[in-house]
DNA sequence: GTAGGGTTAG
């Protein structure tokens, strides 16, 4: 059947849908879908593809699949969008298999491969990523081209397989600046700063570094404590490499100095910036003040941050924790009350783990998993073993909230410990340990930054259970092995 | 203005 010719309004509609998709707005996209139906475009390939893309971008993969079902003649683009959505958002292995069997039978091109691999990177789906890699090699041969090669490097790095990423990169016959950037960023995320610095030396022989390269370099130095090296790169950015420093480079450098405890220099840099500092730059400085217990500086930065972003929860919680650590319980409590009164809620922490291709998600205190009883039994056992090996729950931040006497405090302490033990990372770890073969490695994903207590608990667990445990948090990777972490506790 | 694609801090 021939597709009906697209009137001018149809073109406008596709443009508008594209804009909505880029916004990823969960209200706007369904509204636009209603409009599409009213205008009589149901089942039209290009319009539906644009609608599906919108749904995928805002996480509504079920809706996207329903739209897909109505397309009269799905094209390779339709399949690409639906595959991307399923890989990015569908946790159920059987559902994924069904779509894959049909989709990859349809034929694919480099765009499909890149798109699906990028979805794997985001959801951390190594098994689909590997499958796509094999498929591509069978279909195209060993030289997959620079774009697919780069997608593979990024996928392996973000799925926790940094050595595989390196291997793929080293076998690429052609590499441009984007490929190099993907490799260096991956290494930076894994805390392999020394290697990033060494490889940068090779990179400049091959291609000209750009603004993204320096983001990777600065963050690598920051995460590995290579302060002098990073500071040098920041200075050479413009003068040696002709790259104009952007606000992100400043944010990274502030982080580099701040993490290392050089807060005065970090603040001088912020005040002397040619561009007004944004909340990212100030947020870095606040984080560093917290890490190094500089309460006065923290308060000052907080005042500026509240002006810029009054609804942000992370900053409030950071400062509140800082008060608690300094023993200023009243101030800590009143700051928490501000959040509560304004109805501002913290983004809930969530951890997930793939077991046999199936995604299992946990939130703190979760009891919704079908194997909850087993999980909590195993959790008690793990905590016991951890304690014997020297684990001390780190209740610094919560303990003192709202208690007025010694008894209250003891009770609060026990409660605080219980809250810590059921953090989402620990539940995911526990489920991973009980449902995989002894000795195999585990990869856990967390939507926020890993907490201090879970970091020390997982370090000890990696030793006791003789497992490599990789945790990808919001910012970077932690690879726990033999009782220590690849970040050397510098994060 | 015409559907899908690789690298970017905290």
């Amino acid at each position: 059947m021939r597709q009906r010719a697209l009137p001018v309004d149809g073109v406008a509609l596709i443009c508008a849908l594209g804009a909505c998709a880029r916004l990823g707005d969960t209200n706007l996209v369904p509204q636009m879908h209603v409009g599409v139906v009213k205008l009589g475009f149901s089942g039209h390939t290009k319009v539906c593809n644009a609608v599906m893309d919108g749904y995928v971008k805002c996480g509504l993969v079920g809706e996207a699949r329903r739209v897909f079902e109505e397309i009269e003649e799905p094209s390779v683009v339709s399949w690409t969008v639906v595959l991307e959505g399923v890989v990015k958002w569908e946790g159920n292995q059987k559902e994924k298999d069904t779509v894959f069997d049909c989709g990859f039978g349809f034929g694919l091109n480099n765009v499909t491969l890149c798109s699906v691999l990028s979805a794997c990177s985001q959801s951390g789906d190594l098994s689909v990523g590997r499958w796509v890699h094999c498929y591509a090699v069978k279909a195209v041969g060993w030289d997959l081209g620079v774009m697919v090669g780069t997608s593979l490097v990024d996928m392996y790095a973000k799925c926790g397989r940094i050595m595989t990423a390196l291997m793929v990169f080293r076998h690429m016959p052609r590499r441009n600046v984007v490929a190099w950037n993907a490799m260096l960023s991956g290494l930076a995320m894994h805390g392999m700063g020394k290697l990033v610095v060494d490889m940068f030396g090779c990179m400049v022989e091959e291609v000209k570094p750009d603004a993204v390269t320096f983001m990777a370099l600065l963050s690598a130095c920051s995460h590995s404590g290579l302060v002098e090296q990073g500071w040098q790169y920041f200075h050479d950015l413009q003068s040696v490499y002709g790259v104009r420093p952007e606000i992100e480079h400043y944010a990274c450098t502030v982080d580099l100095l701040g993490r290392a405890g050089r807060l005065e220099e970090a603040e001088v840099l912020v005040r002397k910036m040619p561009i007004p500092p944004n909340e990212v730059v100030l947020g870095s400085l606040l984080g560093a003040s917290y890490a190094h217990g500089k309460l006065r500086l923290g308060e000052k930065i907080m005042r500026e941050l509240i002006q810029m972003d009054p609804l942000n929860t992370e900053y409030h919680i950071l400062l509140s924790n800082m008060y608690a650590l300094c023993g200023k319980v009243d101030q800590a409590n009143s700051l928490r009350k501000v959040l509560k009164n304004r109805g501002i809620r913290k983004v809930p922490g969530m951890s997930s783990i793939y077991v046999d291709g199936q995604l299992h998600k946990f939130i703190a205190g979760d009891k919704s998993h079908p194997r909850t009883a087993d999980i909590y039994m195993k959790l008690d056992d793990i905590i016991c073993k951890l304690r014997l090996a020297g684990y001390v729950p780190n209740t610094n931040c919560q303990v003192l909230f709202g208690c007025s006497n010694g008894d209250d405090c003891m009770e609060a302490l026990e409660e605080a410990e219980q809250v810590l033990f059921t953090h989402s990372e620990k539940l995911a770890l526990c489920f991973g340990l009980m449902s995989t073969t002894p000795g195999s490695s585990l990869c856990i994903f967390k939507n926020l930054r890993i907490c201090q207590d879970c970091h020390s608990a997982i370090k000890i667990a990696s030793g006791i259970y003789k497992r490599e445990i990789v945790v990808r948090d919001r910012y970077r990777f932690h690879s726990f092995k033999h009782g220590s972490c690849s970040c050397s506790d510098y994060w």
Side-chain angles (χ1 to χ4, degrees):
Chain A
M1 199 172 80
R2 267 189 79 230
Q3 287 277 328
R4 151 178 89 235
L6 217 52
V8 180
D9 297 30
V11 176
L13 190 57
I14 289 173
C15 289
L17 285 164
C20 294
R22 279 186 287 278
L23 286 171
D25 187 317
T26 42
N27 295 315
L28 208 52
V29 173
Q31 276 172 30
M32 287 296 285
H33 184 197
V34 172
V36 163
V37 175
K38 274 192 191 152
L39 288 166
F41 283 98
S42 304
H44 190 287
T45 309
K46 288 188 184 180
V47 172
C48 286
N49 291 347
V51 173
M52 286 198 299
D53 187 43
Y55 276 130
V56 168
K57 293 244 156 47
C58 59
L60 300 167
V61 68
E63 296 300 323
R65 286 176 68 179
R66 267 188 280 284
V67 175
F68 181 79
E69 294 302 321
E70 288 173 7
I71 301 179
E72 292 162 21
E73 288 177 36
S75 67
V76 66
V77 179
S78 320
W79 276 111
T80 302
V81 177
V82 82
L83 284 169
E84 179 198 339
V86 166
V87 174
K88 209 187 275 188
W89 302 107
E90 181 63 76
N92 186 307
Q93 183 61 36
K94 273 192 191 142
E95 293 276 329
K96 267 191 285 199
D97 285 345
T98 318
V99 181
F100 256 75
D101 288 346
C102 307
F104 274 86
F106 192 85
L108 63 122
N109 53 32
N110 276 357
V111 181
T112 317
L113 291 175
C114 287
S115 173
V116 172
L117 286 169
S118 152
C120 293
S121 303
Q122 287 172 57
S123 61
D125 195 331
L126 179 65
S127 55
V128 171
R130 272 183 182 144
W131 191 92
V132 172
H133 190 181
C134 294
Y135 182 98
V137 170
K138 273 186 210 151
V140 194
W142 287 106
D143 183 10
L144 299 167
V146 71
M147 290 251 274
V148 175
T150 304
S151 299
L152 281 169
V153 168
D154 181 61
M155 184 276 293
Y156 281 118
K158 291 200 180 132
C159 290
R161 300 304 161 113
I162 191 65
M163 296 323 278
T164 316
L166 258 171
M167 205 180 69
V168 171
F169 180 76
R170 290 198 165 128
H171 282 95
M172 281 171 74
R174 282 159 289 118
R175 298 180 293 220
N176 59 12
V177 65
V178 184
W180 274 97
N181 289 346
M183 189 66 254
L184 297 191
S185 307
L187 292 166
M189 253 178 261
H190 284 267
M192 298 165 83
K194 273 290 280 142
L195 189 54
V196 172
V197 170
D198 290 345
M199 282 181 73
F200 177 69
C202 309
M203 175 182 181
V204 290
E205 313 260 300
E206 213 173 290
V207 295
K208 188 178 175 307
D210 65 7
V212 177
T213 314
F214 284 93
M215 296 298 292
L217 275 175
L218 289 168
S219 86
C221 292
S222 181
H223 287 305
S224 302
L226 302 166
V227 190
E228 290 309 324
Q229 185 75 258
W231 193 225
Q232 191 60 46
Y233 285 133
F234 180 72
H235 282 288
D236 292 349
L237 242 173
Q238 185 136 39
S239 56
V240 179
Y241 300 98
V243 173
R244 207 174 53 146
E246 290 162 23
I247 196 148
E248 290 87 352
H249 296 114
Y250 281 95
C252 255
T253 310
V254 167
D255 182 63
L256 172 89
L257 294 167
R259 250 177 228 277
R262 289 160 66 166
L263 280 132
E264 289 79 12
E265 288 164 87
E267 201 188 355
V268 169
L269 182 64
V270 170
R271 303 303 167 201
K272 278 170 56 184
M273 282 170 57
I275 329 162
N278 60 8
E279 74 265 24
V280 183
V281 175
L282 292 176
S284 291
L285 201 52
L286 180 68
S289 323
Y290 172 69
H292 295 280
K294 306 277 185 192
L295 187 58
R296 293 287 287 277
L297 181 61
E299 286 175 322
K300 191 164 92 182
I301 301 297
M302 187 67 186
R303 278 195 288 276
E304 293 175 58
L305 275 170
I306 288 176
Q307 300 274 314
M308 286 182 188
D309 190 1
L311 295 177
N312 186 300
T313 48
E314 281 172 46
Y315 306 145
H316 282 86
I317 290 168
L318 211 59
L319 188 63
S320 158
N321 287 349
M322 211 158 151
Y323 280 131
L325 278 176
C326 300
K328 300 191 172 185
V329 182
D330 292 343
Q331 271 129 312
N333 280 327
S334 75
L335 207 56
R336 294 240 170 183
K337 257 183 215 147
V338 170
L339 284 179
K340 213 175 172 183
N341 291 342
R342 290 200 200 147
I344 308 174
R345 288 193 59 133
K346 200 182 155 193
V347 179
M350 197 184 71
S351 298
S352 42
I353 183 166
Y354 282 99
V355 172
D356 298 326
Q358 172 80 38
L359 188 71
H360 299 262
K361 291 183 185 170
F362 298 91
I363 56 166
D366 207 323
K367 296 214 163 131
S368 63
H369 194 277
R371 293 189 60 194
T372 291
D374 297 338
I375 292 172
Y376 278 78
M377 224 153 73
K378 175 82 178 169
L379 184 65
D380 282 341
D381 177 49
I382 293 175
I383 299 289
C384 252
K385 291 202 169 84
L386 287 176
R387 280 192 200 267
L388 285 172
Y391 162 67
V392 181
N394 177 353
T395 45
N396 274 347
C397 296
Q398 311 112 311
V399 139
L400 295 164
F401 287 117
C403 41
S404 49
N405 60 47
D407 288 348
D408 277 358
C409 258
M410 276 316 289
E411 228 170 81
L413 183 71
E414 277 167 29
E415 238 171 72
E417 285 189 356
Q418 271 314 305
V419 171
L420 273 185
F421 296 158
T422 59
H423 270 185
S424 62
E425 318 60 329
K426 294 201 186 74
L427 295 177
L429 169 73
C430 183
F431 179 71
L433 285 175
M434 62 188 244
S435 48
T436 54
T437 43
S440 61
S441 57
L442 298 174
C443 191
I444 295 166
F445 296 82
K446 178 154 192 216
N447 64 336
L448 306 173
R449 179 184 258 186
I450 185 173
C451 95
Q452 193 86 166
D453 183 72
C454 288
H455 194 271
S456 44
I458 298 175
K459 256 199 317 191
I460 300 174
S462 73
I464 303 177
Y465 293 95
K466 297 192 173 49
R467 298 252 202 165
E468 182 194 19
I469 303 162
V470 178
V471 177
R472 177 174 108 172
D473 75 6
R474 195 166 156 196
Y475 301 123
R476 57 166 299 159
F477 277 91
H478 297 264
S479 176
F480 300 91
K481 225 180 196 171
H482 311 306
S484 58
C485 180
S486 61
C487 76
S488 315
D489 304 329
Y490 191 84
W491 49 283

